[in-house]
Amino acid sequence: MVKLKVHLKPAVAALVALLTLGQPSFADSRNISELLSELQSAKAPEAQKIARDIEIRWSASGSASANLLLKRGEDALEARQFTKAVEHFTALTDHAPAFAEGWHGRARAFFGLGEYGLALADLRQTLALNPSHFGAIYGLAALLEQLEKPEEAYDAYKILLNLYPAHEKALEGISRLEPSVNGVKL
């Protein structure tokens, strides 16, 4: 019996290079701070694409087990299984405490359960790890609105709009809260 040696590594590398060169991604050549800078001046459709690119980069943990826990937590959130989501995100924050997405996911799950104090604590941790996390800032504003703290919610929306001026829900929040915070203009 003759054994053939096949060198897959160079072949796989060539294939990956061909596929990568065949469809270059504009976002791949930019780092997160460049994307955040572009987000500040982008209009709605382009801003949403940039925001999504940033979110994808933030969700890359660098660990297969962390990625699996994040996926399971996100799937549970999507299915509105908030208790299960809390379990997955808690495992993720235990496994990777410096990974902001675990804290943010768990904050969203706690919010879904009506556990606003726990959600607030996890949003604070998310923002301690990633002060530019526009999803967490939006979550904080929405939570503050839910807690009937319109001035604080308004301020959080303003902070969010400094990072992401085209954020539609933050713009709606500002419009909704403007009369109660700043009064009605005559």
Side-chain angles (χ1 to χ4, degrees), residues 36-48:
L36 285 167
S37 179
E38 290 175 23
L39 186 61
Q40 290 180 323
S41 60
K43 301 298 178 211
E46 182 62 22
Q48 291 169 347

Side-chain angles (χ1 to χ4, degrees), residues 30-136:
R30 300 172 291 173
N31 66 36
I32 289 178
S33 50
E34 290 171 327
L35 290 168
L36 285 167
S37 179
E38 290 175 23
L39 186 61
Q40 290 180 323
S41 60
K43 301 298 178 211
E46 182 62 22
Q48 291 169 347
K49 290 177 190 171
I50 293 168
R52 186 67 192 131
D53 284 343
I54 293 168
E55 290 168 338
I56 289 169
R57 288 165 191 252
W58 283 341
S59 69
S61 71
S63 160
S65 55
N67 290 345
L68 177 63
L69 289 168
L70 180 63
K71 170 96 172 82
R72 287 181 176 170
E74 292 293 337
D75 289 347
L77 273 179
E78 190 174 315
R80 303 188 57 80
Q81 297 173 337
F82 300 119
T83 301
K84 184 174 269 197
V86 166
E87 292 170 7
H88 291 303
F89 288 125
T90 298
L92 178 54
T93 59
D94 290 346
H95 174 74
F99 183 49
E101 292 308 302
W103 298 98
H104 182 239
R106 192 169 74 173
R108 291 166 38 223
F110 281 140
F111 186 87
L113 290 170
E115 296 287 347
Y116 301 138
L118 295 171
L120 182 59
D122 281 358
L123 288 171
R124 285 185 178 148
Q125 183 61 30
T126 303
L127 292 169
L129 294 168
N130 181 355
S132 299
H133 198 296
F134 45 81

